[in-house]
Amino acid sequence: MKVPVEKNQEYIVEIVDNGFEGEGIAKIDNFIIFIPNSIKGEKVKIIIVKVLSSHAFGKILEIITPSTYRIESDCATYKRCGGCSLRHIQYKETLKIKQNAVQSLVDKTLKEKIKVQKVLGMENPYHYRNKAQYPIGKNKDGQPTIGVFANRTHEIIPIHTCYIQNQKTEKIAKFIFDYIVKNKIDIYDEKTGKGLIRHIVTKIGIKTNEIMCVLVINGKILPKEENLVKEVINHFSEVKTIVKNINMKNTNVILGQENINLYGNGYIQDKLGEYIFKISPLSFYQVNPIQAENLYKIGVEEAKITKEDIVFDLYCGIGTISLFMSQYAKKVYGIEIVKEAVEMAKENARLEPSKECRFYSRRCGEGSR
């Protein structure tokens, strides 16, 4: 098939659908073009920025006929940031886009077709995330900066106000960054692999308001760490633990495997439904606990689990789903490859000693040893 478009050429197209990540989809002679920030039904002028044998990518130059669902984004860095992709669309319409994306996957995969139900949105879809990962680096002028990575790059876009991150943890991350800059603590350089401070990671218990700060460093020693801890806990009483995470590998993986507690026990607690969970630096916990709780309730109801059932929770993390299921099942077995998460799951099960949960560190699909 001859490719009907050329790089750097302009075209006028109609957006016929939205893709899995919310990007608009257009076709020229049945050749697919993905166009970020466009909405189904719009007519736009684009320039082709990348051409592959099966599809191409375009960039909007002009919106000729805008969608009735288009809105002005409330975020100053939205167009460059890689954290959100639908803030230019009315929230209710984004739920339909997500529903259609899942329906498309189902239609492609299942022989027996099913109808995907409507997506249950949030009452207040702002500042809901309980975990944030802020890269630290230097800008083009060599000045220290903290923020988020630009879409599909490792260029750091400075933080202003993020409408999905927790406001308190964002404030704490900026406070720690200001301390690092003020005290001239060395900052990591991805290109050279040298420098010390790589990331600031925060986690918060939405129900408990307990906060964890993780300082990811390229080394073992953090200068002035005792004073940093003192400054943070004096200014933010919600901070219950501060952890130094060692990551000396040249990798895109944010956290290393070694954690050293600088303050507190190295974990925080949160409540999901009627259950209390311990959360550590490496353990997985749903980043949107408000919707996670709603999802788990629906899962329990739809699974129709009885006291005669034995349930296997694969990729169980710290055991949130396992414990939810355990009050209805005969037994629940949670399987997870991350050993620290399994240990945390076992601790969480001990907080609910009447529940029949067992957790094992295994690769899913792997036989017993």
Side-chain angles (χ1 to χ4, degrees), residues 131-136 145-147 159 165-181 197 199-203 211-215 228 232 236 239:
K131 175 185 176 183
Q133 302 174 144
Y134 299 106
I136 295 177
T145 186
I146 180 175
I159 294 175
Q165 298 293 2
N166 182 273
Q167 292 169 297
K168 176 64 74 172
T169 59
E170 184 177 279
K171 185 176 180 180
I172 292 171
K174 290 179 181 179
F175 179 89
I176 294 173
F177 173 72
D178 289 342
Y179 180 92
I180 290 167
V181 174
I197 304 291
H199 279 81
I200 296 172
V201 178
T202 59
K203 295 187 177 186
I211 294 174
M212 169 192 296
C213 299
V214 182
L215 307 173
L228 171 57
V232 172
F236 304 99
V239 174

Side-chain angles (χ1 to χ4, degrees), residues 10 76 169 273 336:
E10 298 179 8
T169 59
E336 169 63 55

Side-chain angles (χ1 to χ4, degrees), residues 347-359:
E347 288 194 36
N348 289 329
R350 284 192 284 271
L351 296 174
E352 298 286 343
S354 63
K355 306 306 178 186
E356 287 294 330
C357 275
R358 300 291 183 270
F359 295 97

Side-chain angles (χ1 to χ4, degrees), residues 264-316:
N265 295 322
Y267 66 85
I268 58 173
Q269 292 185 333
D270 197 15
K271 192 173 183 181
L272 200 60
E274 298 301 317
Y275 303 95
I276 296 174
F277 295 97
K278 289 183 176 180
I279 305 164
S280 66
L282 295 179
S283 61
F284 173 78
Y285 186 66
Q286 295 287 350
V287 296
N288 186 341
I290 298 169
Q291 288 298 78
E293 185 172 331
N294 293 330
L295 178 64
Y296 292 176
K297 289 177 181 177
I298 293 172
V300 168
E301 292 170 2
E302 293 297 321
K304 296 181 175 63
I305 297 169
T306 73
K307 285 296 181 181
E308 302 300 316
D309 294 322
I310 296 176
V311 177
F312 288 86
D313 180 11
L314 307 182
Y315 312 98
C316 68

Side-chain angles (χ1 to χ4, degrees), residues 80-298:
R80 300 189 63 204
C81 172
C84 298
S85 58
L86 298 174
R87 298 199 77 83
H88 61 291
I89 308 173
Q90 292 176 13
Y91 180 64
K92 288 185 177 180
E93 185 64 17
T94 69
L95 302 182
K96 295 179 183 178
I97 290 172
K98 293 173 183 179
Q99 178 187 350
N100 291 337
V102 176
Q103 184 71 64
S104 177
L105 290 174
V106 167
D107 290 344
K108 290 177 182 177
T109 306
L110 299 182
K111 292 181 179 179
E112 294 185 14
K113 305 306 179 186
I114 61 173
K115 176 65 176 177
V116 175
Q117 295 184 16
K118 291 181 179 180
V119 177
L120 299 180
M122 300 185 71
E123 291 183 12
N124 179 28
Y126 294 92
H127 304 296
Y128 56 83
R129 288 180 63 97
N130 58 12
K131 175 185 176 183
Q133 302 174 144
Y134 299 106
I136 295 177
K138 294 185 178 180
N139 60 23
K140 294 177 180 179
D141 298 324
Q143 298 301 310
T145 186
I146 180 175
V148 291
F149 287 127
N151 193 23
R152 303 185 189 279
T153 76
H154 272 209
E155 178 189 354
I156 298 175
I157 307 298
I159 294 175
H160 294 287
T161 298
C162 180
Y163 289 96
I164 62 173
Q165 298 293 2
N166 182 273
Q167 292 169 297
K168 176 64 74 172
T169 59
E170 184 177 279
K171 185 176 180 180
I172 292 171
K174 290 179 181 179
F175 179 89
I176 294 173
F177 173 72
D178 289 342
Y179 180 92
I180 290 167
V181 174
K182 181 179 178 181
N183 288 273
K184 299 180 180 179
I185 300 174
D186 201 16
I187 291 173
Y188 182 71
D189 186 331
E190 274 194 344
K191 294 179 180 179
T192 64
K194 297 179 179 180
L196 185 64
I197 304 291
R198 300 178 68 143
H199 279 81
I200 296 172
V201 178
T202 59
K203 295 187 177 186
I204 183 170
I206 297 298
K207 296 283 183 67
T208 63
N209 207 34
E210 294 184 359
I211 294 174
M212 169 192 296
C213 299
V214 182
L215 307 173
V216 185
I217 64 173
N218 178 40
K220 297 280 188 178
I221 299 172
L222 177 60
K224 303 181 180 180
E225 64 182 30
E226 291 184 5
N227 191 59
L228 171 57
V229 168
K230 188 183 299 183
E231 287 288 320
V232 172
I233 62 177
N234 283 344
H235 282 81
F236 304 99
S237 60
E238 304 94 331
V239 174
K240 301 303 179 184
T241 191
I242 301 174
V243 178
K244 180 169 61 177
N245 177 269
I246 312 302
N247 185 359
M248 300 173 66
K249 295 182 178 180
N250 183 14
T251 174
N252 289 333
V253 177
I254 291 174
L255 294 173
Q257 294 300 306
E258 182 180 358
N259 292 308
I260 300 170
N261 295 343
L262 301 180
Y263 173 71
N265 295 322
Y267 66 85
I268 58 173
Q269 292 185 333
D270 197 15
K271 192 173 183 181
L272 200 60
E274 298 301 317
Y275 303 95
I276 296 174
F277 295 97
K278 289 183 176 180
I279 305 164
S280 66
L282 295 179
S283 61
F284 173 78
Y285 186 66
Q286 295 287 350
V287 296
N288 186 341
I290 298 169
Q291 288 298 78
E293 185 172 331
N294 293 330
L295 178 64
Y296 292 176
K297 289 177 181 177
I298 293 172

